[in-house]
Every structure is written in C-alpha cells, then in structure tokens.
Amino acid sequence: MASLDDAIPLNCNFIHGPIIVGAGPSGLAVAACLHKNGVSSLILERSSCLASLWQERTYDRLKLHLPKQFCHLPFLNFPQNFPKYPTKDHFIAYVESYAKHFSIGPSFKQAVLRAEFDSAIGLWRVHTRDSLYLTKFLVVASGENAEPVIPEIQGIERFGGPVIHTCEYGSGFEFRNQRVLVVGCGNSGMEVSLDLCRHNSSPHMVVRNSVHILPREILGVSTFAIAMALLKFLPLRLVDKLLLVVAYFTLGDTERLGLPRPKTGPIELKNATGKTPVLDVGALSQIKSGKIKVMKDVREITKKGAKFKDGQEEEFDSIILATGYKSNVPSWLKGSDFFTEEGMPKAAFPHGWRGENGLYVVGFTGRGILGTSSDALKIAADIAHKLRSSITTTCGDRILLR
C-alpha cells in the first residue's frame, strides 16, 4: 500500500478541517456552525461572490416568499429594521454580514472540477483548475439550484427573438410593450409575469403541470406560519385540506383559470417531491383580469411565436424560460452512490445529510433555509465530535507509547 507521503504531491494543500463546496447560504451556515464548535473550514466557491444565485441570477423584484423569522441562518437573525419579507438586496446584505460576523472567507473562483475519496490514504481529493486539496471531511453545499434547467422544446432554435432563462432576467423594463411567452407557472413564472405586466408587457404564461396556489397571507398572517402552527396539533393531510379550503374562498377556483391543482395536498407534495406551492403576491388578480394570459403546454416554437397543444397559435417578441434549476453534483462528485442521477440525496429528509467516509450534504432538503439550518447544525456537531474523538485517541496512543 502506498504511504501518505508517496500519494500526496508536493504542490497540494492539506486542509485540517472540512472542505465546503459552495458559498451560498448552505455553505455559510455550515461554516458558521463549525466556527461555533471551534472547527475551521475552507469554502471553495466557483463564482466571485457570496450567494451567487442571489447576486447574479435573480430578478430585481425578488423578495423572500416567507417571513424573515423562517429564513435566517443559524445563530444570527435578520436585523429588526428589515421588512417582514426581505428584498433581494436585504438578503444579500444579510448574507454578507453573516460571513463577516463569523469570519468566513471563502476561496473564490475555485470551481470544483472533481472530488473523490481516495481509500488508499483515507482522504478526499478535491480538484480545482489550479489546485489539489486533501481533507478528511467533504461538505457538499452546492445546492439544489446550481444550474438552470433548459427544457427541450421542439423548434425553439428557430425562434427569431431572444430566448432567456429567468437566471438572466432582471426587470420587465427590457421587455416593455412586448408580447412575451413565459414558460412555467411556479413562483418564478408567476412573479416574472407580474413584473412584465407592470412594464406594459403582455405575458402569456405556459402551464406545463398542475400547481398549488395559496395566498401568501391569511388575515395578515403568513400562510406558512399558520400551517406550521397547525402541524403541531393536526395531521398533515388535515392541514392540507384546511389550506385548500381557505385558498378556495380567498383565491377562487384556480382550475377555471387554467391552473389545475395536484391531487396531493400542498404540504404533502412539498415533502414528497420538493415542489413548492406558489404563494400569490398579485399575479392571480392579473390572470383574472386577463392581463396575464394562461396558455396550455407548448407543442412547438415557430420563427415568430408558438403553437400550443390545444391548437392555438400566437406570435411573441421574446421567450422567458421559468423552468427552474437543478443540482450539478453528478458532474464533479465521483465514486459515491449517495446521490441519485439527478444529483439529490437518495435518503429522504431528515436522513440525507451524512454519507460515508466523511461526506456531508447540506441544502438539498427541499425545505428551504429551515432545512438547511437543521442539517448545518447536525453536520457541524458530527464533525466536531469526530475531531475531538480523533484527538483523544491520538493523545491516548501517545500516553501508551510512553
């Protein structure tokens, strides 16, 4: 068997603490929890900033969909003067202050090209473009939303106007007075369509699947907060039924608007698949007024527009793909069967945070920052415990040798 000295090149970097891949909220949460446990770490981030999804790939009007008390990271709340639903700029400011508070300094522009456990030396080899890192602990924090999903739509290459993903969308100002096809009816599709309306555009929103739409608030109280409170006393399916009754009386029958609901309730569906219900912030009223037109799924894109599965054909100036994001873990993490082909942990929450050989995973729960915080605390405690046990064992061995 090769010795450790033989197996490690002279120009590599041995990291005494864990390596965290990704400097988004998930990676920062783990680093802060490790800091609280007296453990140093190294964050490798492919971009040049913290929370790059928020800073570089989100639209201007984005706000947190949940109240701030449900969206803070461990050990540091949002400032009291922040609004109930912090804006994009508020959240970025919070993330930057969080990193400063816990003395977190990621290594930027260090995209991980490959990471694989080397059983010969008992360490993870983590390769970037110009460096090799070795560590006992690897934390995958690259997230569920690492890469945009670009669907295959027949004929889209023929379209004569711009085609962008929402990760490139900033404001409806760029599309003012245009007829715009928005593909997707999740939170992003709804909010982009609403933003387009406010810039005198004519959005046509494609409904590709069924979708749950809930009011963001009920009598001034967050629907999410009400659901969380009810779940402490009532079965999940009963809470789902109550939410749907309230949604019907406050929003009306969405199926009549071309927005059919899934048969599974909103919370049960979220827990099973990670599919988030839409929290309405005004798009539904624009649909009812006809300013946002709901369209059936696209059959094909033409040079000037689109043909739809119900036989309609329309012309458009631009196409915006509100088709979500996906994990990129399979492209760089090798030799592990912890993840599915789609880059998600095979074990469901709350068991998908720890693998073998010092592998940890955060930010893949489908439960937002609450799920991230829960996993970050467990990961940091587990790593700190293993490091303390290792030191105790080493010290014990030295005593015996004496």
Side-chain angles (χ1 to χ4, degrees):
M1 181 181 293
S3 70
L4 185 61
D5 291 337
D6 292 336
I8 300 175
L10 293 176
N11 62 344
C12 79
N13 305 281
F14 177 76
I15 307 302
H16 292 279
I19 288 177
I20 302 169
V21 181
S26 298
L28 296 178
V30 174
C33 293
L34 288 166
H35 178 87
K36 277 285 189 177
N37 281 273
V39 178
S40 62
S41 60
L42 171 66
I43 298 181
L44 299 178
E45 167 57 41
R46 64 179 177 175
S47 74
S48 58
C49 63
L50 301 171
S52 62
L53 179 64
W54 280 82
Q55 298 220 44
E56 300 175 344
R57 295 188 287 171
T58 50
Y59 39 91
D60 296 344
R61 75 177 306 275
L62 179 64
K63 293 183 179 180
L64 293 179
H65 293 117
L66 304 181
K68 61 184 179 182
Q69 66 265 31
F70 296 107
C71 299
H72 63 77
L73 298 172
F75 307 115
L76 186 67
N77 293 346
F78 283 94
Q80 289 187 352
N81 65 331
F82 274 25
K84 183 177 182 180
Y85 297 96
T87 65
K88 169 183 175 177
D89 289 341
H90 283 123
F91 188 75
I92 292 169
Y94 167 70
V95 165
E96 290 178 340
S97 66
Y98 189 86
K100 184 176 180 180
H101 182 83
F102 292 104
S103 303
I104 301 170
S107 291
F108 293 113
K109 296 185 178 180
Q110 288 289 304
V112 173
L113 305 178
R114 185 181 181 90
E116 189 169 17
F117 185 72
D118 188 335
S119 57
I121 58 176
L123 297 171
W124 286 90
R125 292 179 176 268
V126 182
H127 298 263
T128 64
R129 181 181 298 176
D130 52 16
S131 301
L132 167 63
Y133 299 91
L134 300 174
T135 182
K136 289 184 66 177
F137 306 106
L138 179 67
V139 181
V140 177
S142 51
E144 304 160 326
N145 301 320
E147 303 291 345
V149 172
I150 309 296
E152 293 183 6
I153 304 176
Q154 184 178 340
I156 199 164
E157 71 283 352
R158 298 198 302 261
F159 184 66
V163 179
I164 68 167
H165 188 271
T166 48
C167 67
E168 302 173 84
Y169 179 90
S171 165
F173 180 78
E174 307 164 49
F175 302 90
R176 59 195 182 281
N177 302 318
Q178 290 190 17
R179 290 170 58 84
V180 183
L181 181 65
V182 180
V183 181
C185 63
N187 279 299
S188 293
M190 289 280 188
E191 291 201 26
V192 165
S193 296
L194 179 60
D195 191 50
L196 288 166
C197 284
R198 292 172 178 172
H199 289 86
N200 203 35
S201 302
S202 177
H204 290 58
M205 186 177 65
V206 173
V207 179
R208 307 169 72 209
N209 301 295
S210 56
V211 59
H212 278 300
I213 304 175
L214 303 175
R216 184 169 71 170
E217 293 186 344
I218 300 170
L219 300 176
V221 181
S222 161
T223 301
F224 180 81
I226 292 172
M228 291 301 99
L230 291 175
L231 284 170
K232 294 178 181 178
F233 307 102
L234 300 174
L236 183 149
R237 291 189 177 182
L238 178 56
V239 174
D240 267 345
K241 288 181 180 179
L242 291 173
L243 289 177
L244 292 176
V245 169
V246 170
Y248 182 85
F249 282 105
T250 55
L251 303 178
D253 184 359
T254 59
E255 190 154 0
R256 290 187 178 181
L257 301 173
L259 298 161
R261 290 189 181 275
K263 294 182 179 179
T264 307
I267 300 176
E268 185 178 0
L269 186 67
K270 170 72 171 170
N271 289 347
T273 68
K275 186 176 180 180
T276 304
V278 171
L279 297 177
D280 181 52
V281 294
L284 208 59
S285 65
Q286 301 288 11
I287 292 171
K288 291 175 181 178
S289 70
K291 291 183 179 179
I292 298 175
K293 292 180 171 55
V294 174
M295 310 300 292
K296 294 290 186 181
D297 201 359
V298 176
R299 181 161 61 85
E300 68 172 310
I301 301 295
T302 64
K303 186 176 181 179
K304 293 185 178 181
K307 295 179 181 179
F308 299 90
K309 291 187 176 178
D310 61 358
Q312 290 190 69
E313 184 172 356
E314 299 281 350
E315 291 188 358
F316 298 103
D317 300 297
S318 302
I319 298 175
I320 298 172
L321 302 174
T323 45
Y325 294 85
K326 62 182 179 181
S327 164
N328 69 357
V329 173
S331 69
W332 58 268
L333 183 66
K334 306 301 178 182
S336 171
D337 63 354
F338 188 79
F339 288 87
T340 65
E341 292 181 1
E342 290 75 35
M344 298 296 290
K346 292 179 180 178
F349 180 85
H351 307 294
W353 61 276
R354 179 175 59 185
E356 296 181 341
N357 301 317
L359 177 68
Y360 297 89
V361 180
V362 62
F364 291 81
T365 64
R367 286 164 172 78
I369 291 179
L370 282 176
T372 286
S373 297
S374 171
D375 283 354
L377 290 163
K378 289 185 284 190
I379 289 168
D382 196 62
I383 291 174
H385 173 72
K386 288 180 177 177
L387 287 172
R388 284 193 296 268
S389 299
S390 175
I391 292 171
T392 301
T393 302
T394 302
C395 291
D397 289 344
R398 287 175 180 171
I399 291 170
L400 288 173
L401 287 171
R402 287 176 185 173

